[in-house]
Amino acid sequence: MKSIARRNHKYWKYLFWLGPILFVAGLTAGLVSNNWEPVPLGLIIAGVVVTGLWLIFSANQNRWWSRRSTQAGTNALIATLSVLALLGLINFLAVRYPVRRDFTEAQLFTLAPQSQQLVRNLSQPVNVWIFDRNQDQQDRELLENYRRQNPQFSFEYVDPQVQRGLAEKFGVKQFGEVYLEAGQQRRLVQVVNNEQRLSEVRLTNSIQQVISDRTAKVYFLQGHGELPVTAEQGGLSQALTALGERNYTTEPLNLIQQSKIPQDATMIVVASPKQALFPPEVKALTDYLNSGGSLLLMIDPNTNPGLDSLLKSWGVALDNRIVIDPAGASIGFGPAVPVVDTYGEHPITQDFNNGISFYSEARSIELSEVAGVQATPLLITNPQTWAESNLQGEQLQFNPETDVQGPLTIGAALSRQVNNQESQEARLVVFGDSNFAVDGLFEQQLNGDVFLNSVGWLSKQDEETLSIRPREPRNRRINLAAQQANVLGLTALLLIPLIGFASAVFLWWRRR
Amino acid sequence: MRLIWTNIVAIYRKELQSYFASPLAYAIAGIFWLLSGFFFVIILLGPQGYISLAAQADLQAQQIGVPAPPIDVAYEFLRAFLGIMSSLALFVLPILSMGLYAEERKRGTLELLATSPVTNWAVAVGKLLGVLTFFIAMILPLLAYQVIALSAANPPVPPAVPLLGHLGLILLAASVLSLGMFISSLTDSTLLAAVLTFALILFLWVIDTVARAFSGSMGEALGHLSLLRHFNNLVQGIFDTGSIVVFASYIFLGIFLTAQSIDALRFQRS
């Protein structure tokens, strides 16, 4: 009987190996699925229970607890555990109440005072989402510097290929997009990659804009056959949705019913009027501009909006000829679609590099100098384009007598100081086309960015941005003479290692 | 108290003597000097080194006529070089610490040490100080090269960041050696001690990467264990009490566990 029991024990013993195996299986399952209930938890508990049974079992087997070495071992175990707990506590306190000093000359790892103050005063949670697979050390350090200021600030790295739902919620299109989320609001901060790392300037300004309650109000003029703001053929609904996501509110405006521009208007958009505006309306717009307002004009060819007097005071003349682009024809857009990859130096277009945008049936714009007005051509067509006067002809051909050879300007940004108030600026953006912003074309290439950046500049959000200078390292060189460098190199590569090896050989030889 | 101190010093001197009379120690130092010298030349003086890269950037800027973005050659070099030094140390330090106790076990002198009136603590501290001193002696020539190179910097380099970087290197070495000493006290095979130490240090080195998979306080706690993160902090010129406390904890833990393990030995034998 006893021998059977013992034999059983012999095999029973191996069952206890299940303890650690179950424990590890539970741990792995929990870590992989990131979900701890109920299966992983059950496995872990089962593992712990089986291991506990083994302890009791083996204690009965060989009565180890009464030995002296066990008592010493228990003491050591308790001492070790308490030391670990103590060290953990000390480290916890050290992390909680850190003393941190940046000893770099340019304070490379310290946030600008503006950023510090802004983040310290955050009253609502602000989260930064970085949709990237790689976590750059530099970016992380910057984000941790923000987090150190205020626990309301947090950040999270997300792999957009793994957490698709989250990526879709934010509309992530590429790796490296950084989004800021505060309450209901989300906005794109920038796209990080190897050339461009996360910038404190952008991040702080985005936080500032997200938490400020002020929303810019954009009025769309109606009543003269302008592009509809609803979702229909040739409407602007995509543009309006994009504006909504960027914290703008939009509203139609009819100047026949009310003769003055509303007080809360940040800017007015006049999108492709088919009939001429009435003189009182033009006057209202002119007055609005003169008091430091902003106006976005999108005027198609073969229409006369009656804005000549307003435009003349800014030195802008609308050419009625249509821009023809042989390159547009060759990539399948048709000859009347100029493709633009050259942009003027302006905040609106500064990030465009050589990206393309295209404009179906556009008219060119002529700029002339007017005192006090700062004019910048935004969209410049390529030199092969020309402005065609005769569309009825059999063949579209450049005719030097009636046509104008490119490059032509089809979009321009203008600004002027307002006389009576020094700090205020009137801003005007004119496009010789409206099709680039309509539904369907808005999302193509850079078309939407042209529109949104123009609205951004016109709404003067850039004025609100905090002026933070990016941290730059000290410019420093090491000027070693060639001879110095040689001596240094030889010492490092030959002399010192040789001394080491020679000493080793000498000692070894003497010991023999 | 005074007696303990005298004991520590006695052990320390004995350890130092054994290092400076050992051909193996000089051979290790020689290899370390050769490798570090090689990296020093590559990083600073080589054709892809910081000096020539900065010169190229200057030349290019002159041709285009746009001022180049500022480069702090001394700072970049120091960061890169100390980074390489820490990786080299990763290989060298387990070799230095492997024999601390394993050798005594093998020779059978550990019983003498364990039962001697000198406390296990004092022995561990003395041994650690000895091996740390040897490591510092190993990096002295490299310090000399750096002083020569940095003294040619224009404008001159303020000493705070280089000093902090080297403090980081020494603290890192002390932590690794202390943990290595504990592992060495567990086995009588020096090879096994070196391999285990290397594995442990590698784990503590890369745990930062593991920690990033977790979010929240779990990830933070794991990341805090990383040696690399705290070392980088110091090398970049950031003094953070959190980092110093982590290194101090590792050093203390190594000494404590060593003393415990020798204590256990005493009871096992009795």
Side-chain angles (χ1 to χ4, degrees):
Chain A
M1 187 67 205
K2 209 175 178 184
S3 70
I4 292 170
R6 192 163 289 163
R7 195 174 296 155
N8 274 346
H9 276 154
K10 214 165 140 191
Y11 298 111
W12 268 102
K13 231 170 29 189
Y14 296 109
L15 214 59
F16 292 120
W17 278 106
L18 272 177
I21 291 172
L22 285 173
F23 184 76
V24 171
L27 208 62
T28 318
L31 286 181
V32 169
S33 66
N34 214 3
N35 173 22
W36 293 96
E37 282 171 277
V39 179
L41 194 67
L43 285 172
I44 289 173
I45 291 174
V48 170
V49 168
V50 173
T51 313
L53 284 176
W54 173 76
L55 276 177
I56 296 167
F57 176 77
S58 60
N60 276 326
Q61 256 333 58
N62 51 25
R63 313 184 69 79
W64 49 264
W65 71 89
S66 55
R67 290 188 202 156
R68 185 157 175 240
S69 66
T70 311
Q71 282 173 2
T74 318
N75 283 344
L77 191 69
I78 291 170
T80 308
L81 287 180
S82 23
V83 162
L84 282 178
L86 196 69
L87 287 179
L89 194 68
I90 290 173
N91 275 288
F92 177 76
L93 289 177
V95 172
R96 223 355 110 75
Y97 306 100
V99 179
R100 206 178 151 87
R101 270 199 65 189
D102 184 351
F103 278 97
T104 53
E105 281 166 282
Q107 299 286 296
L108 290 176
F109 303 100
T110 310
L111 294 181
Q114 295 98 317
S115 306
Q116 288 189 19
Q117 201 189 358
L118 183 71
V119 180
R120 270 198 207 126
N121 294 337
L122 284 179
S123 53
Q124 55 170 340
V126 170
N127 193 26
V128 173
W129 302 86
I130 306 103
F131 290 92
D132 207 347
R133 295 154 111 180
N134 310 320
Q135 305 189 9
D136 183 75
Q137 193 63 34
Q138 204 183 325
D139 291 356
R140 268 193 83 98
E141 266 163 28
L142 180 65
L143 289 164
E144 269 166 17
N145 268 337
Y146 275 89
R147 189 166 61 186
R148 246 175 237 122
Q149 306 293 329
N150 191 339
Q152 296 275 19
F153 181 93
S154 58
F155 66 91
E156 205 165 316
Y157 273 88
V158 177
D159 184 341
Q161 286 183 331
V162 175
Q163 302 197 36
R164 295 231 178 138
L166 200 61
E168 257 167 46
K169 200 173 92 179
F170 281 87
V172 175
K173 294 192 192 74
Q174 54 175 314
F175 284 114
E177 288 187 7
V178 180
Y179 281 88
L180 194 67
E181 189 182 36
Q184 293 299 309
Q185 285 193 48
R186 297 189 196 117
R187 66 185 295 140
L188 179 68
V189 180
Q190 70 174 107
V191 181
V192 291
N193 48 40
N194 284 333
E195 282 91 53
Q196 202 170 23
R197 301 275 31 132
L198 192 60
S199 114
E200 184 192 342
V201 180
R202 288 194 181 210
L203 189 53
T204 298
N205 277 315
S206 301
I207 296 173
Q208 160 88 3
Q209 283 164 14
V210 158
I211 61 172
S212 71
D213 297 330
R214 205 192 77 111
T215 55
K217 199 156 193 179
V218 182
Y219 281 97
F220 283 78
L221 191 69
Q222 299 288 308
H224 321 87
E226 282 94 347
L227 294 177
V229 292
T230 48
E232 59 184 273
Q233 182 75 32
L236 286 172
S237 68
Q238 285 181 339
L240 261 69
T241 312
L243 286 178
E245 283 167 4
R246 282 162 182 74
N247 214 9
Y248 292 96
T249 50
T250 51
E251 214 167 291
L253 172 69
N254 198 323
L255 282 180
I256 313 264
Q257 290 155 4
Q258 51 183 116
S259 60
K260 274 200 72 161
I261 306 282
Q263 281 289 318
D264 61 349
T266 309
M267 58 174 293
I268 312 286
V269 178
V270 181
S272 186
K274 301 285 179 297
Q275 296 95 35
L277 275 66
F278 294 107
E281 291 180 293
V282 179
K283 186 177 181 304
L285 288 176
T286 311
D287 290 347
Y288 172 64
L289 272 180
N290 287 342
S291 65
S294 298
L295 186 61
L296 173 60
L297 296 177
M298 303 196 284
I299 297 165
D300 284 319
N302 297 321
T303 57
N304 180 15
L307 287 168
D308 290 348
S309 61
L310 186 153
L311 289 172
K312 202 176 171 199
S313 69
W314 287 78
V316 177
L318 297 169
D319 192 303
N320 211 21
R321 287 170 283 208
I322 285 189
V323 180
I324 300 296
D325 185 357
S330 68
I331 55 174
F333 282 138
V337 182
V339 176
V340 171
D341 63 359
T342 310
Y343 302 94
E345 283 282 320
H346 195 269
I348 295 176
T349 49
Q350 64 184 355
D351 294 331
F352 286 3
N353 300 324
N354 288 325
I356 68 163
S357 51
F358 55 91
Y359 304 86
S360 162
E361 290 188 19
R363 71 203 297 174
S364 74
I365 294 168
E366 281 157 23
L367 299 173
S368 51
E369 284 218 8
V370 174
V373 173
Q374 210 174 19
T376 315
L378 287 180
L379 312 169
I380 302 154
T381 63
N382 63 58
Q384 280 85 48
T385 56
W386 72 87
E388 177 68 49
S389 55
N390 180 16
L391 280 175
Q392 268 64 47
E394 295 249 319
Q395 253 190 325
L396 285 174
Q397 245 180 352
F398 177 64
N399 183 350
E401 281 157 30
T402 53
D403 300 345
V404 184
Q405 179 71 46
L408 304 160
T409 300
I410 52 178
L414 306 97
S415 62
R416 175 160 72 186
Q417 293 293 324
V418 175
N419 293 334
N420 45 9
Q421 288 153 301
E422 273 192 6
S423 62
Q424 267 196 324
E425 202 178 47
R427 289 182 174 180
L428 174 69
V429 171
V430 187
F431 291 116
D433 178 53
S434 67
N435 288 323
F436 72 98
V438 302
D439 292 355
L441 298 179
F442 182 80
E443 288 183 331
Q444 308 267 331
Q445 305 293 342
L446 287 175
N447 285 8
D449 297 86
V450 171
F451 179 80
L452 292 173
N453 288 6
S454 302
V455 171
W457 180 68
L458 287 169
S459 66
K460 299 177 185 170
Q461 281 204 338
D462 53 336
E463 277 180 5
E464 260 183 62
T465 57
L466 302 162
S467 55
I468 302 169
R469 279 176 53 81
R471 303 268 168 179
E472 282 190 336
R474 195 75 189 268
N475 205 12
R476 172 177 286 132
R477 297 286 179 274
I478 294 180
N479 304 320
L480 277 178
Q483 206 180 354
Q484 269 179 312
N486 283 340
V487 171
L488 200 55
L490 281 177
T491 314
L493 275 178
L494 275 178
L495 188 64
I496 300 285
L498 267 184
I499 289 177
F501 291 129
S503 315
V505 171
F506 173 72
L507 280 173
W508 172 77
W509 180 75
R510 212 179 57 172
R511 271 199 186 179
R512 259 182 20 138
Chain B
M1 191 65 217
R2 187 133 168 234
L3 184 72
I4 293 177
W5 183 242
T6 347
N7 286 338
I8 291 178
V9 171
I11 301 271
Y12 171 67
R13 286 178 62 177
K14 186 204 138 245
E15 281 293 314
L16 270 192
Q17 269 165 13
S18 75
Y19 277 118
F20 284 100
S22 145
L24 180 68
Y26 280 102
I28 294 171
I31 294 170
F32 181 73
W33 286 335
L34 183 66
L35 287 175
S36 53
F38 173 72
F39 284 117
F40 177 83
V41 170
I42 294 260
I43 292 173
L44 188 67
L45 311 168
Q48 290 295 312
Y50 279 104
I51 288 184
S52 72
L53 281 187
Q56 277 170 29
D58 283 345
L59 196 67
Q60 225 165 33
Q62 242 171 26
Q63 281 167 353
I64 305 172
V66 189
I71 316 169
D72 190 340
V73 175
Y75 181 66
E76 296 295 331
F77 156 69
L78 205 68
R79 264 174 60 170
F81 185 61
L82 281 172
I84 291 278
M85 294 298 300
S86 69
S87 312
L88 271 181
L90 193 64
F91 294 96
V92 172
L93 292 172
I95 299 176
L96 288 184
S97 72
M98 67 183 181
L100 281 174
Y101 278 90
E103 200 69 30
E104 306 244 12
R105 253 181 202 261
K106 210 156 74 181
R107 282 200 219 123
T109 45
L110 192 58
E111 266 88 352
L112 292 179
L113 216 54
T115 50
S116 73
V118 183
T119 60
N120 295 331
W121 279 85
V123 177
V125 172
K127 276 179 179 284
L128 183 64
L129 283 178
V131 72
L132 187 63
T133 310
F134 184 72
F135 178 74
I136 293 173
M138 271 169 62
I139 59 173
L140 277 182
L142 312 176
L143 267 174
Y145 313 154
Q146 290 175 58
V147 168
I148 294 171
L150 294 186
S151 63
N154 177 37
V157 183
V161 177
L163 283 180
L164 210 56
H166 285 93
L167 173 73
L169 188 62
I170 289 170
L171 281 175
L172 175 79
S175 310
V176 174
L177 290 171
S178 185
L179 293 174
M181 179 170 73
F182 164 59
I183 289 175
S184 171
S185 77
L186 294 175
T187 167
D188 57 359
S189 155
T190 45
L191 188 67
L192 190 64
V195 169
L196 284 180
T197 309
F198 181 70
L200 175 71
I201 301 313
L202 202 61
F203 175 70
L204 290 180
W205 200 255
V206 299
I207 197 170
D208 206 22
T209 325
V210 180
R212 286 179 188 178
F214 298 91
S215 54
S217 50
M218 171 84 173
E220 263 177 67
L222 274 180
H224 188 66
L225 294 177
S226 161
L227 285 170
L228 186 62
R229 181 197 278 196
H230 300 292
F231 174 70
N232 272 344
N233 254 353
L234 288 167
V235 167
Q236 284 174 338
I238 303 168
F239 177 87
D240 190 331
T241 44
S243 302
I244 305 288
V245 168
V246 168
F247 284 127
S249 304
Y250 276 126
I251 296 169
F252 177 77
L253 190 68
I255 295 172
F256 171 80
L257 288 177
T258 310
Q260 287 285 320
S261 121
I262 301 303
D263 241 5
L265 188 82
R266 192 181 289 186
F267 281 108
Q268 267 166 30
R269 296 293 152 104
S270 64

